[in-house]
């Protein structure tokens, strides 16, 4: 088939790769000048199959209310008159039960395992290097109450076959000795040795180059304007060259919408409703002054809800979420406060280790669903339109598997995992 993939982040490029594997003719369209320059650009760098708990849980409403007035809170909800925000918020609250949490965890673990295996096979096949560290993920707690809650969460994950180990303080410091300076503040942790980390942007851009070498066409610096429908099919996508202003259309046999938070607006004129809302996340990438004293194991700091990942001679500190629509500003007071809180926390954990003179702040709009489960499957409104969006904070974790599953579904095969694929059921 001729397939047009809309979006060149980790999801879109992974989809393109697996479609090429099946012999399709692939064109990828993106408004940026290269792949992975939006939400995939400077994320937390973690492949967190075993740390995939949905945001929605029984304690979430209390925490959100407690954080409501704090500009540096881990999750900040800015109420607006946007009905889409309220629809998303009410749906999120409906998922804040123990039963819903366990149901959603099961699907996320299934997709995560499938994706991790797909990634490992792809890396072995291509030899792509992306500052990969297969050292696991260590989640540490700065209060006894949080540690006990974390241990309970680990038990839930173990019920789903995840090897998440509960550690005392000494065991946490044995896994990551660089935390020794902060050690007296640590009450314990959990550790999953099978998880890993790496630079999603580097990976995605290198994979895009390989796709191009295999014949894929990449139309960068092109706005994706609208889908044109004829009967029950999409027959073209309208695009605009950002440099020249010229508009044109691309015809194809099939289309894949993988535009992250912007996917719902593209498909809504067709009558398709996707409950995806942007969650603004932040990161800082710092050069290391003392790399020998920096952490190597990828970390999750429970107090600040941030990820810390080593990327060669740099470190990435990422996290927090702000539900404020499509705001990607980095200069307003709230944005600066949230960015500076990341660096301040890293300095508390690892004093003097990083160069703070160049902070490389970044923000991205994570395409979040109330369940944290993405939409992967055929459109309900157009038979040749496919959706691959809504991966939230797990786009890097689920990227390879989502692309692999998408190509399998488009070939009429059901991928080998228990997952609620979107749209028409595949036998």
């Amino acid at each position: 088939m001729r397939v047009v993939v809309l979006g060149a982040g980790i999801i879109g490029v992974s989809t393109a790769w697996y479609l090429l594997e099946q012999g399709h003719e692939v064109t990828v369209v993106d408004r940026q000048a290269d792949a992975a320059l939006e939400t995939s650009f400077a994320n937390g760098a973690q492949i967190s199959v075993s740390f995939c708990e949905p945001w929605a849980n029984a304690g979430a409403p209390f925490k959100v209310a407690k954080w409501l007035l704090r500009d540096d809170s881990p999750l900040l909800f800015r109420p607006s008159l946007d009905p889409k925000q309220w629809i998303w918020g009410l749906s999120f609250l409906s998922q804040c039960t123990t039963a819903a949490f366990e149901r959603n965890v099961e699907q996320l673990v299934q997709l995560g395992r499938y994706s991790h295996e797909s990634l490992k096979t792809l890396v072995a096949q291509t030899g792509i290097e992306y500052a990969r560290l297969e050292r696991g993920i260590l989640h540490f707690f700065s209060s006894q109450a949080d540690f006990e809650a974390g241990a309970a969460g680990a038990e839930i994950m173990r019920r789903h076959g995840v090897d998440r180990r509960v550690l005392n303080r000494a065991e946490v410091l044995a896994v990551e000795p660089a935390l020794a300076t902060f050690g007296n503040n640590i009450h314990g942790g959990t550790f999953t040795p099978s998880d890993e980390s790496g630079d999603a942007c580097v990976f995605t851009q290198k994979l895009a180059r390989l796709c191009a070498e295999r014949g894929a066409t990449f139309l960068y610096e092109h706005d994706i304007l609208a889908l044109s429908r004829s009967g029950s099919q999409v027959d073209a996508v309208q695009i605009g060259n950002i440099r020249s202003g010229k508009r044109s259309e691309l015809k194809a046999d099939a289309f894949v919408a993988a535009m992250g938070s912007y996917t719902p607006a593209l498909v809504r004129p067709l009558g398709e409703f996707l409950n995806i809302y942007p969650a603004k996340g932040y990161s800082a990438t710092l050069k290391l002054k003392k790399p020998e004293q920096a952490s190597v194991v990828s970390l999750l700091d429970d107090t600040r809800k941030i990820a810390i990942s080593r990327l060669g001679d740099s470190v990435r500190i990422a996290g927090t979420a702000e539900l404020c629509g499509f705001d990607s500003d980095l200069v307003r007071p709230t944005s600066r406060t949230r960015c500076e809180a990341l660096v301040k926390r890293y300095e508390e954990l690892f004093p003097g280790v990083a160069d703070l003179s160049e902070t490389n702040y970044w923000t991205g709009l994570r395409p979040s669903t109330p369940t944290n489960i993405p939409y992967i499957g055929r459109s309900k409104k157009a038979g040749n339109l496919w959706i691959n969006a809504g991966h939230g904070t797990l786009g890097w974790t689920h990227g390879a598997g989502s692309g692999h599953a998408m190509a399998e579904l488009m070939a009429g095969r059901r991928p080998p995992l228990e997952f609620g694929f979107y749209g028409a059921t595949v036998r």
Side-chain angles (χ1 to χ4, degrees):
M1 295 188 297
R2 290 176 302 156
V3 184
V4 172
V5 177
L6 304 171
I10 180 62
I11 305 300
V13 172
S14 295
T15 300
W17 172 263
Y18 287 102
L19 289 170
L20 289 167
E21 287 272 275
Q22 295 188 0
H24 301 300
E25 178 185 327
V26 179
T27 299
V28 182
V29 187
D30 197 279
R31 65 182 179 183
Q32 298 295 342
D34 202 345
L37 292 187
E38 294 205 16
T39 308
S40 301
F41 181 68
N43 62 20
Q46 294 185 336
I47 304 292
S48 50
V49 177
S50 305
F51 283 103
C52 62
E53 290 95 329
W55 291 352
N57 59 66
F62 171 76
K63 289 180 179 179
V64 172
K66 182 178 67 172
W67 292 332
L68 196 58
L69 300 178
R70 282 179 46 194
D71 279 354
D72 64 344
S73 65
L75 178 59
L76 181 61
F77 176 66
R78 294 291 195 197
S80 73
L81 297 178
D82 181 2
K84 292 184 289 293
Q85 184 193 64
W86 287 95
I87 291 170
W88 190 95
L90 291 171
S91 183
F92 176 85
L93 288 175
S94 75
Q95 297 296 317
C96 292
T97 67
T98 300
F101 179 84
E102 294 234 14
R103 183 174 62 247
N104 295 335
V105 163
E106 174 65 26
Q107 291 204 58
L108 292 170
V109 170
Q110 287 279 328
L111 180 59
R113 284 186 180 137
Y114 176 75
S115 188
H116 202 188
E117 289 305 312
S118 298
L119 176 68
K120 288 188 283 190
T121 301
L122 195 162
V123 172
Q125 177 184 354
T126 62
I128 291 177
E129 296 182 355
Y130 52 98
R132 184 185 192 186
L133 287 173
E134 297 177 89
R135 300 290 190 94
I137 294 178
L138 176 64
H139 189 180
F140 64 91
F141 302 88
S142 301
S143 78
Q144 185 61 29
D146 288 340
F147 173 49
E148 291 172 0
E155 176 58 33
I156 291 174
M157 299 305 291
R158 284 198 296 273
R159 289 205 298 270
H160 293 285
V162 171
D163 180 19
R164 188 186 293 185
R165 304 169 187 178
V166 178
L167 310 180
N168 61 33
R169 177 190 292 138
E171 291 168 330
V172 167
L173 299 180
V175 170
E176 183 46 86
L179 284 167
T181 302
F182 191 74
N184 289 337
N185 299 296
I186 294 174
H187 287 253
T190 65
F191 178 57
T192 54
S194 59
D195 285 337
E196 57 179 272
S197 60
D199 194 318
C201 178
V202 170
F203 174 87
T204 305
Q205 291 185 350
K206 289 184 176 180
L207 187 62
R209 307 289 183 271
L210 292 177
C211 287
E213 290 174 9
R214 297 182 67 174
T217 299
F218 282 81
L219 297 179
Y220 292 121
E221 298 184 303
H222 280 75
D223 279 325
I224 299 162
L225 303 174
L227 297 169
S228 300
R229 182 168 60 181
S230 177
S232 62
Q233 302 283 303
V234 170
D235 57 9
V237 58
Q238 309 298 320
I239 62 174
N241 187 308
I242 292 173
R243 288 182 177 270
S244 68
K246 181 181 178 181
R247 294 191 174 198
S248 58
E249 67 174 20
L250 293 175
K251 292 185 175 293
D253 301 305
F255 300 82
V256 179
M259 296 165 55
S261 297
Y262 299 91
T263 307
L266 178 72
V267 302
R268 195 171 296 120
L270 304 179
E272 191 100 44
F273 174 74
L274 304 178
N275 197 2
I276 297 172
Y277 196 79
K280 185 180 182 182
Y282 296 84
S283 76
T285 305
L286 311 176
K287 290 289 185 183
L288 293 169
K289 292 193 300 185
K290 303 174 182 178
E292 72 283 356
Q293 296 181 25
S295 55
V296 177
V297 175
S298 192
L299 304 173
L300 283 169
D301 175 2
D302 189 77
T303 298
R304 299 302 308 168
K305 302 293 187 290
I306 59 174
I308 299 170
S309 296
R310 181 77 172 266
L311 297 172
D313 289 332
S314 298
V315 65
R316 172 78 46 75
I317 310 109
T320 79
E322 186 178 349
L323 299 177
C324 57
F326 287 84
D327 170 26
S328 57
D329 167 78
L330 271 175
V331 299
R332 283 198 281 272
T334 296
S335 300
R336 299 301 296 182
T337 296
R338 296 176 79 75
C339 287
E340 290 163 4
L342 297 174
V343 175
K344 179 181 177 181
R345 183 58 170 177
Y346 186 80
E347 187 66 10
E348 289 174 358
L349 297 170
F350 306 101
V353 170
D355 180 0
L356 307 186
S357 65
E358 188 176 338
T359 49
N360 296 303
Y361 292 135
W362 168 88
T363 187
L365 301 177
R366 306 185 191 105
S368 301
T369 66
T371 60
N372 284 85
I373 296 170
Y375 293 92
I376 305 173
R378 190 196 299 267
S379 163
K380 296 178 179 179
K381 301 298 181 179
N384 65 338
L385 174 63
W386 300 80
I387 312 294
N388 206 349
H391 295 76
T393 58
L394 295 171
W396 182 207
T397 299
H398 291 157
S402 295
H404 194 179
M406 183 93 280
E408 289 293 290
L409 291 169
M410 292 174 72
R413 296 187 291 267
R414 185 177 181 87
L417 69 156
E418 292 299 319
F419 183 81
F421 291 106
Y422 184 65
T425 301
V426 177
R427 296 186 182 276

